[in-house]
Amino acid sequence: MELHESGEMYLETILILSEKKSFVRAIDVGEHLGYSKPSVSRAIGLLRNGGFVEVGDGGGLSLTKAQSWQRGRRKDLRAPHLPHKDACEPRR
């Protein structure tokens, strides 16, 4: 499954919330992002089916091992999103 920007936003939110709380639920993600329960449920389902997120028995969300690279990029996740370097170079 290809991960789009919106999917990355959900993963980033799960990561940020998991640093603050030991148990992150879909409702926490929705409240943080300001999204409705159905929207969050659909997105989490897609991320789970794509192997990006695991949902525990109690509904707790966690990033899969495939997403562990994000833990090393915490500073990048909190930095303002800047255009890619190539986007700033003049066209030839």
Side-chain angles (χ1 to χ4, degrees), residues 9-11 13-14 17-18 21 23-48 53-62:
M9 184 174 51
Y10 278 95
L11 296 176
T13 299
I14 294 168
L17 292 175
S18 67
K21 305 168 83 171
F23 191 77
V24 178
R25 303 167 299 157
I27 195 163
D28 300 322
V29 174
E31 288 174 358
H32 184 83
L33 294 172
Y35 293 164
S36 69
K37 289 179 187 180
S39 295
V40 174
S41 179
R42 181 174 177 350
I44 296 298
L46 291 171
L47 291 170
R48 187 186 63 197
V53 172
E54 293 177 344
V55 181
D57 292 336
L61 303 175
S62 60

